[in-house]
Amino acid sequence: MAYGAPTHRLEEYMRSTFTVLGVQGKFLFIPGCMFVSFEDHETRTSDVRIVRNEHSVDLSKLLEMHTIYKKVNRDKIGATEGTQLLKELFLKKLENGPRTLVLFYGLASAFVGPFAFGSRLIDMPMAFVLAILCGALKLQSRNIVAGSVRMVYAIIYSLFLGFGITIGTAFYAALDRQATSETVCRNPISGYWKFLFIPPFTVCLIVINQGKFHQMPVMVLISLAGYVVNFFSSLKFPSNVQVSQTLGALTIGLMGNLYSRVWEGVSAAALLPAIFVQVPSGLAASGSLISGLTSANQITNGTNGATTVSNGIQAGTMTININSTVFNVAYSMIQVAIGITSRDGFQIRLQHPPDMLNREIGTIKLDDVYIAIGTPLAWPEAQKKADQVREWGIEVATHQAQPSYEVGSYILQQLLAIWNRAKGKERDMLLWGDEIEYLVVKYDDQDRKVRLSLRQADILAALAADEELSKKGGCVPDLQKVSRNMDKLPVFHPEFGRFMLESTPGKPWGIGFKDLLDVEPNMKWRRQIAKDHMEANEVPITLTTFPRLGTKDDFTSPYFPPSGDKLRSQFLPDEIANPHIRFPTLAANIRARRGRKVEINVPIFKDVNTSVPFRDPTVNYDLHNWLEDDDVRNGAAKDDHVYMDAMAFGMGSCCLQITFQAKNITEGRKLYDQLSPLGPIMLALTAATPIYKGFLVDTDVRWNQISRAVDDRTAEELGEIPLKHNRWRIPKSRYASNSTYISVDPRLRPEYHDPDLVIDPAIQEHLEAGGMDSLLATHFAHLFIRDPIVVFSEDLNHLDLDQTNHFENIQSTNWQHIRFKPPPADADIGWRVEFRPMEIQMTDFENAAFSIFIVLVTRAILSFELNFYIPIRRTTENMETAHNRDAVLKDRFYFRRDPFPLRPVKINGSASGTTTPMMLPSRPPTPTGPIEDEYDLMSIDEIINGRTESYDDGLPGFPGLIPLVESYLNSVNVDVETRCDLARYLDLIRKRASGQLWTGAKWIREFVRTHKEYKGDSMVREGLCYDLLSEVKKVEVLGSRGGGPMFKVGAEMKSAALDGDSARSRQEHVFASRDEKAL
């Protein structure tokens, strides 16, 4: 818009750029204004922005801008680099200053006279002077070059131009009674000599429009060719301007596009001077400018006998004559524009065969079939709509008006439709999948810095543009149509942070043991594919959080200062989050509903030199950018804690998630219940998060930080003030441990349920009335006490019971540690259970080990009818315990003492790993007796590896999860080679639980504390962070070569970060070499 790009192509340019950047959107251009709608098809949201800019022409900057555009679209440079180049281009000075432009306006006016208006050499000086005085040609160029979409805009200016010619001529005639009325110059320059004036006129236009000298030859050639064709065709068709203009413009278009395709020039820039040559000759040929002289004669000489207005007839006659001149000019403008723009249709047909044209149009139509996504509402309006939707839900479900209970018909009806459609759905076998999330970091080896790379969109675009990957089916469904094939190409998705990537296997894993052994190679393959499409100094690492996220230095690349009305953070810029509209809207509406910023306080790790009391030195108590900046002055930042204030501190964390597809709803509900008590155990066992915002903290895991980062509860719901506007006091955040059991299992005792569970009784009642059983209805009645955070007004206009969008609006923003997922409406997928608590590990071997372990545990649960039920409140307590530093070794967790029911059968396996028979039930009976006798406090080692000694009451100790898994493997007769391969993974779990191998959190903490630059003050400075992440990179490389992350690393890796034998011995303790023969 700013530099003269053809306006009819602007929407196409935008669409192409959005596709490459992985952004969904639609566009509408009107003169001087572009409407841009950023859209998200998953959440049916949109964010509309208006970009205003005066249309002008700058051929030099247009060329440079188009070059940047092509490089980004062809993945030669990233969007970040492209943005920086555009910023530099905007600030670049003009090629030619005002004085030069004035001179060349005059020269252009002089040169255009002979070939366009039949002037003589003697007329050229006067044309030069007049052009300098009034700049008329600049006015014409501003209106004519805008393209067919600006025709009405051009006509309006042309009316003024025609009126001005008439009035100006008449005014001069009134002053000079000897003025001539001749319309044709005497002795004009002969025809072919006119061709000589085309090159200098074109050069003048290039200078006026800020072109570069190296652009001149091709522009002059195209201008001359267009004029020559126009000249000779006008001799053949002297009475029809449109024909000659069309042929001349067609010549220009063909040559311009030939230049673009063969030499990869910018056709728009090359065409503009040639179009300018066409315009004045077209106006002259139409005779429209001469008509102004005729009308001036009428005014000054009184040709029609009436020069004053005494009655309507005389005035009307003169007005018609004058208006005829005005409209002659405007009509001529239209004729010229039609001639020029009509060449587009011919040119497209000549240069694009019909099949190619159909393919291009088909792409556009494909975009157009999407349903309007809608506009996310700010929280006050969203809250009103949420109440309205929920009120409708009660009315529709009961066929009568009810109070405004907070549940909507759309959500209820879709949920009941899902239930009735899928409750009998059966699958043949277990399927499962893992989800790995990466941080993309950029290493600066020269300055010993490491930064978060905000190139998520560029990396995904590079993956989508890879021709070899596309031939195998593609791997970025957000940017391309992905087809699955035997290669099982992995899939990559964007995540909350612009520094994050998510990867999943291309196809679900089965229960076959070959699939289990393929998990680690597949994870390595994913990491390598991602790395291959990054810059040389970028690496995908699997750490939970970036250690210096939110510090005062430039921790991102590119750097953005903390700012933005979405996060309103002291420490983070809005640009750190994915621009997809669901993320900024979610962050803004959570803050607005809460009435203040989110409040995240993590206890500081108190080392020998840590200040007491510790007050977070990064907090600015004098900041007054937003009303929410008062939070810290009101006590939000607590002593002895690291303070954070934005959703990105939580949702910018990476994790390892496993999703299971059950064979039916009964099996899914059983898995949901039995995996719930295991969540805190696996959270502690995978602990990997001891650093926040550049400080060592006194916790080891991420869970509570994410919980607080998305906590939208008001002061009333938190219990800080009495209830007045809200209905309930809600004990937990939206991101929390489970609060319900849902399995129809006779072993599920009422005492296991949460006594403080908050539900909406109206929802429970109506779900039960719709056929849902009480347990599941209670589960959803608890989830739906939450408000939908993002509401789209368009969604309230139509209910589609074949979709799940309204249901998922709330379901997907209840982030429990185990999630029960109904089948989607548009895919042949069963009931699923998502296991969410595990922390991401540094190496693919570890991530594969924990994935395989939890899969084998589910097989043991279902095969042996294991019972891990404990009261919900104990699981909630365990989740808190898992946060403690070194909880895996130092703390004890509530766990069920006896997972077996009372009626025994024999299987092989025991706590010691021998073949001593253990007793399992033929069917699970209903337990009796006090529930306190059913569970006990156990160490992680006892839960994972088993307890050999009996309890005080004489009952045998807990058998251990690994012995249970080994018993399952014994029962299915796994071959020896496969069993040995699986043992490598189980050995990692076993040693992690016993303390023989450290957690990632303990290794990171000890790495920092033994680093030569660490000052014992809990601070993780830039150089230390660089060494830490460099070591993490080495760990993964060595682990990949050796088949696991613990392969002789202590002996081979001597880090500059560690100093002294004690530090080295600690590292060898972590990375103990594995003796595969012993396994």
Side-chain angles (χ1 to χ4, degrees):
M1 290 168 63
Y3 302 138
T7 55
H8 65 285
R9 299 288 301 277
L10 287 176
E11 294 180 15
E12 179 186 339
Y13 293 151
M14 293 290 291
R15 182 163 52 250
S16 174
T17 303
F18 269 43
T19 299
V20 171
L21 298 181
V23 182
Q24 299 162 343
K26 289 184 176 146
F27 324 97
L28 174 64
F29 175 77
I30 61 175
C33 185
M34 171 75 81
F35 291 85
V36 182
S37 174
F38 296 89
E39 302 179 344
D40 189 328
H41 294 160
E42 294 181 8
T43 59
R44 300 175 63 81
T45 59
S46 66
D47 183 19
V48 178
R49 303 296 178 92
I50 300 175
V51 181
R52 295 179 59 85
N53 199 87
E54 181 181 350
H55 195 100
S56 59
V57 178
D58 188 320
L59 298 179
S60 173
K61 290 188 176 182
L62 177 62
L63 173 63
E64 294 184 44
M65 182 203 67
H66 194 76
T67 301
I68 297 169
Y69 161 80
K70 287 197 299 183
K71 286 183 177 180
V72 172
N73 276 25
R74 297 177 183 180
D75 200 38
K76 294 182 179 179
I77 62 174
T80 302
E81 183 181 352
T83 301
Q84 184 60 38
L85 291 174
L86 286 177
K87 290 180 179 178
E88 295 174 1
L89 182 62
F90 294 153
L91 299 175
K92 188 176 180 180
K93 293 183 179 180
L94 296 175
E95 292 285 329
N96 305 302
R99 295 182 180 179
T100 302
L101 294 182
V102 169
L103 174 63
F104 276 86
Y105 280 136
L107 292 174
S109 180
F111 288 130
V112 76
F115 74 83
F117 301 103
S119 69
R120 302 164 297 176
L121 294 178
I122 196 174
D123 298 319
M124 293 174 64
M126 181 56 66
F128 176 86
V129 173
L130 290 175
I132 290 179
L133 291 177
C134 67
L137 282 179
K138 182 180 179 182
L139 176 61
Q140 287 189 357
S141 68
R142 286 177 59 189
N143 298 325
I144 299 303
V145 301
S148 59
V149 295
R150 292 174 61 99
M151 189 175 294
V152 174
Y153 191 56
I155 290 172
I156 299 300
Y157 273 97
S158 301
L159 294 175
F160 284 108
L161 180 61
F163 185 74
I165 291 172
T166 300
I167 297 301
T169 306
F171 182 73
Y172 181 79
L175 296 178
D176 183 3
R177 306 305 298 180
Q178 302 301 317
T180 182
S181 297
E182 293 185 37
T183 58
V184 179
C185 294
R186 299 174 184 176
N187 303 318
I189 296 175
S190 61
Y192 299 118
W193 288 99
K194 295 178 181 179
F195 296 164
L196 298 177
F197 293 91
I198 302 299
F201 177 65
T202 303
V203 170
C204 291
L205 292 177
I206 295 171
V207 174
I208 290 170
N209 291 287
Q210 307 294 332
K212 293 178 177 292
F213 284 103
H214 70 80
Q215 296 175 288
M216 291 182 180
V218 68
M219 291 180 177
V220 170
L221 179 62
I222 294 175
S223 295
L224 187 58
Y227 179 78
V228 169
V229 172
N230 190 343
F231 177 83
F232 287 106
S233 60
S234 65
L235 297 179
K236 184 67 175 177
F237 307 102
S239 61
N240 197 316
V241 177
Q242 293 93 323
V243 173
S244 59
Q245 287 292 324
T246 298
L247 294 175
L250 180 61
T251 303
I252 293 170
L254 289 173
M255 293 188 67
N257 281 276
L258 182 66
Y259 168 66
S260 174
R261 290 177 179 272
V262 177
W263 290 282
E264 294 194 352
V266 182
S267 61
L271 294 177
L272 282 177
I275 292 175
F276 293 166
V277 171
Q278 297 284 307
V279 172
S281 57
L283 289 177
S286 70
S288 60
L289 300 182
I290 297 175
S291 64
L293 183 58
T294 303
S295 295
N297 282 333
Q298 295 173 4
I299 296 172
T300 57
N301 300 327
T303 304
N304 288 337
T307 57
T308 60
V309 179
S310 58
N311 57 50
I313 297 176
Q314 290 180 331
T317 301
M318 182 172 287
T319 302
I320 291 174
N321 289 331
I322 293 175
N323 284 345
S324 67
T325 298
V326 174
F327 285 102
N328 275 340
V329 177
Y331 178 64
S332 299
M333 288 282 192
I334 296 173
Q335 287 182 307
V336 174
I338 289 174
I340 293 174
T341 57
S342 62
R343 55 97 176 172
D344 289 340
F346 294 115
Q347 180 186 314
I348 290 173
R349 285 294 179 181
L350 287 172
Q351 293 185 313
H352 301 277
D355 59 334
M356 184 184 296
L357 181 62
N358 290 336
R359 287 199 298 269
E360 293 176 355
I361 294 176
T363 302
I364 298 171
K365 289 184 178 178
L366 183 63
D367 290 341
D368 291 342
V369 300
Y370 287 118
I371 299 172
I373 291 180
T375 303
L377 304 177
W379 175 246
E381 187 63 25
Q383 187 176 32
K384 295 175 185 177
K385 295 296 182 182
D387 293 342
Q388 175 188 348
V389 170
R390 291 184 164 115
E391 184 174 348
W392 291 350
I394 301 303
E395 292 176 1
V396 172
T398 64
H399 303 287
Q400 61 181 349
Q402 295 285 345
S404 178
Y405 298 115
E406 296 188 358
V407 61
S409 72
Y410 288 178
I411 296 171
L412 279 178
Q413 288 189 73
Q414 281 191 345
L415 175 54
L416 286 173
I418 296 167
W419 162 256
N420 289 316
R421 181 171 58 242
K423 61 185 177 182
K425 194 178 185 73
E426 293 282 343
R427 304 297 297 174
D428 294 331
M429 65 180 68
L430 170 90
L431 295 175
W432 67 279
D434 66 87
E435 178 182 312
I436 298 286
E437 293 170 343
Y438 305 98
L439 299 176
V440 182
V441 297
K442 180 175 289 189
Y443 290 87
D444 181 349
D445 297 329
Q446 182 175 350
D447 294 332
R448 288 185 65 238
K449 286 187 176 183
V450 60
R451 301 175 177 89
L452 286 171
S453 174
L454 305 186
R455 294 184 61 253
Q456 176 194 90
D458 301 333
I459 296 166
L460 290 173
L463 287 163
D466 188 309
E467 294 183 1
E468 290 301 318
L469 296 180
S470 297
K471 289 178 182 177
K472 296 178 181 179
C475 61
V476 190
D478 296 86
L479 299 182
Q480 60 187 155
K481 183 178 180 181
V482 173
S483 60
R484 298 274 59 89
N485 50 48
M486 296 303 294
D487 291 324
K488 295 184 179 179
L489 198 65
V491 174
F492 295 89
H493 295 280
E495 257 294 341
F496 175 87
R498 286 174 61 190
F499 50 86
M500 301 171 70
L501 286 179
E502 172 192 312
S503 74
T504 57
K507 292 183 178 180
W509 301 114
I511 189 51
F513 295 107
K514 180 181 183 304
D515 279 7
L516 295 179
L517 298 181
D518 285 342
V519 172
E520 183 188 356
N522 185 271
M523 290 180 174
K524 292 179 179 178
W525 186 30
R526 283 181 249 168
R527 192 190 293 258
Q528 187 59 50
I529 289 176
K531 177 66 180 74
D532 289 344
H533 293 81
M534 296 178 184
E535 294 179 351
N537 59 346
E538 290 178 333
V539 176
I541 63 172
T542 43
L543 280 184
T544 314
T545 62
F546 184 67
R548 291 184 59 79
L549 177 67
T551 56
K552 295 298 184 183
D553 58 285
D554 56 337
F555 60 87
T556 65
S557 176
Y559 171 74
F560 295 96
S563 62
D565 68 332
K566 301 301 182 183
L567 298 180
R568 300 190 180 182
S569 173
Q570 281 201 20
F571 314 107
L572 302 177
D574 277 4
E575 289 84 356
I576 205 167
N578 190 313
H580 281 211
I581 190 60
R582 70 174 177 267
F583 297 117
T585 301
L586 189 64
N589 284 2
I590 283 175
R591 187 193 66 252
R593 187 188 189 281
R594 178 182 170 85
R596 52 189 167 176
K597 287 193 285 189
V598 296
E599 184 179 310
I600 309 167
N601 283 284
V602 189
I604 191 72
F605 172 75
K606 294 183 178 179
D607 214 335
V608 291
N609 294 324
T610 305
S611 59
V612 180
F614 172 83
R615 293 188 175 90
D616 190 335
T618 65
V619 176
N620 183 355
Y621 289 90
D622 297 320
L623 197 65
H624 294 276
N625 291 339
W626 309 100
L627 289 175
E628 293 89 345
D629 290 333
D630 287 340
D631 290 355
V632 294
R633 291 182 283 277
N634 295 329
K638 303 185 184 308
D639 285 355
D640 296 322
H641 287 74
V642 177
Y643 170 71
M644 294 166 284
D645 65 351
M647 181 177 173
F649 282 109
M651 285 301 189
S653 303
C654 297
C655 68
L656 169 66
Q657 294 180 180
I658 310 295
T659 299
F660 303 95
Q661 177 184 262
K663 69 177 183 180
N664 54 36
I665 189 173
T666 301
E667 183 176 275
R669 293 169 74 166
K670 180 179 292 184
L671 282 177
Y672 176 88
D673 282 10
Q674 297 303 324
L675 289 174
S676 182
L678 296 178
I681 311 306
M682 299 306 294
L683 178 61
L685 198 60
T686 57
T689 320
I691 303 175
Y692 275 100
K693 216 175 69 172
F695 296 99
L696 283 174
V697 295
D698 209 31
T699 61
D700 273 4
V701 299
R702 80 200 186 284
W703 189 268
N704 279 348
Q705 282 64 264
I706 307 178
S707 176
R708 293 163 186 151
V710 295
D711 192 353
D712 69 332
R713 290 175 296 170
T714 66
E716 294 179 16
E717 291 168 336
L718 286 165
E720 298 174 350
I721 58 177
L723 288 172
K724 181 178 180 181
H725 302 289
N726 299 113
R727 298 180 61 193
W728 302 284
R729 181 186 177 277
I730 303 178
K732 296 179 180 179
S733 166
R734 302 179 80 107
Y735 196 110
S737 59
N738 288 16
S739 297
T740 58
Y741 287 128
I742 63 174
S743 179
V744 183
D745 189 327
R747 301 172 297 181
L748 176 56
R749 301 177 63 177
E751 296 92 332
Y752 298 155
H753 292 297
D754 186 353
D756 300 321
L757 184 69
V758 179
I759 67 168
D760 188 322
I763 297 178
Q764 183 182 27
E765 177 185 348
H766 294 304
L767 290 176
E768 291 180 7
M772 190 177 291
D773 63 87
S774 177
L775 280 173
L776 202 56
T778 299
H779 169 75
F780 287 116
H782 168 65
L783 295 185
F784 294 154
I785 64 173
R786 311 286 180 175
D787 279 335
I789 295 298
V790 183
V791 176
F792 328 114
S793 59
E794 292 82 356
D795 279 353
L796 303 180
N797 299 327
H798 175 67
L799 171 63
D800 188 348
L801 292 179
D802 292 329
Q803 298 298 319
T804 60
N805 54 317
H806 301 290
F807 167 73
E808 289 294 343
N809 196 341
I810 291 182
Q811 159 87 354
S812 64
T813 54
N814 273 278
W815 296 279
Q816 298 190 322
H817 82 283
I818 313 291
R819 180 180 281 167
F820 185 63
K821 305 174 71 172
D826 55 353
D828 186 21
I829 296 175
W831 294 86
R832 293 153 297 152
V833 175
E834 190 175 66
F835 190 75
R836 300 169 46 81
M838 293 190 292
E839 307 244 294
I840 196 73
Q841 304 296 289
M842 281 182 274
T843 68
D844 295 319
F845 176 81
E846 294 167 284
N847 288 316
F850 282 105
S851 301
I852 292 168
F853 174 65
I854 200 65
V855 170
L856 292 175
V857 168
T858 64
R859 296 302 88 197
I861 289 172
L862 296 175
S863 296
F864 300 152
E865 291 286 354
L866 298 179
N867 176 11
F868 293 133
Y869 278 123
I870 61 173
I872 285 283
R873 56 189 173 87
R874 294 304 190 190
T875 298
T876 301
E877 293 176 40
N878 283 347
M879 286 293 285
E880 293 301 316
T881 302
H883 285 74
N884 294 342
R885 178 163 48 91
D886 293 333
V888 68
L889 299 179
K890 297 180 179 178
D891 287 291
R892 296 164 69 82
F893 296 78
Y894 292 104
F895 209 76
R896 190 173 185 87
R897 295 168 59 182
D898 183 5
F900 309 123
L902 301 177
R903 194 171 301 167
V905 295
K906 289 185 179 181
I907 68 164
N908 289 329
S910 69
S912 61
T914 69
T915 57
T916 304
M918 291 196 301
M919 311 306 287
L920 289 184
S922 57
R923 58 176 295 276
T926 301
T928 59
I931 60 170
E932 289 78 14
D933 294 343
E934 297 178 2
Y935 59 90
D936 203 350
L937 284 169
M938 304 183 197
S939 68
I940 297 286
D941 187 27
E942 292 173 329
I943 295 170
I944 297 297
N945 295 319
R947 173 172 170 165
T948 55
E949 62 273 12
S950 299
Y951 294 104
D952 293 339
D953 55 10
L955 291 176
F958 182 74
L961 295 178
I962 284 185
L964 286 171
V965 166
E966 290 175 333
S967 293
Y968 165 72
L969 294 174
N970 289 339
S971 71
V972 292
N973 297 318
V974 182
D975 65 86
V976 174
E977 183 178 358
T978 300
R979 187 67 179 269
C980 289
D981 287 336
L982 292 174
R984 296 189 304 117
Y985 301 114
L986 296 180
D987 192 55
L988 170 66
I989 311 298
R990 180 183 288 112
K991 291 181 177 179
R992 178 74 65 84
S994 68
Q996 291 176 267
L997 296 176
W998 287 352
T999 63
K1002 186 175 180 66
W1003 181 80
I1004 292 172
R1005 188 184 306 279
E1006 292 307 309
F1007 183 97
V1008 171
R1009 296 189 69 201
T1010 55
H1011 192 279
K1012 59 185 179 182
E1013 295 181 9
Y1014 180 65
K1015 300 180 181 180
D1017 56 359
S1018 307
M1019 296 183 66
V1020 182
R1021 293 171 175 83
E1022 283 187 291
L1024 198 163
C1025 181
Y1026 169 82
D1027 288 344
L1028 171 63
L1029 268 64
S1030 297
E1031 207 78 350
V1032 168
K1033 182 170 62 172
K1034 292 178 184 177
V1035 168
E1036 172 51 35
V1037 171
L1038 292 173
S1040 297
R1041 292 173 181 170
M1046 315 303 180
F1047 186 73
K1048 297 182 181 179
V1049 176
E1052 294 180 5
M1053 184 168 60
K1054 297 181 180 179
S1055 169
L1058 300 177
D1059 184 21
D1061 293 337
S1062 60
R1064 201 156 16 253
S1065 65
R1066 288 190 185 98
Q1067 195 169 6
E1068 290 171 357
H1069 177 71
V1070 183
F1071 298 109
S1073 61
R1074 286 185 292 106
D1075 187 345
E1076 295 191 6
K1077 292 181 180 179
L1079 293 175

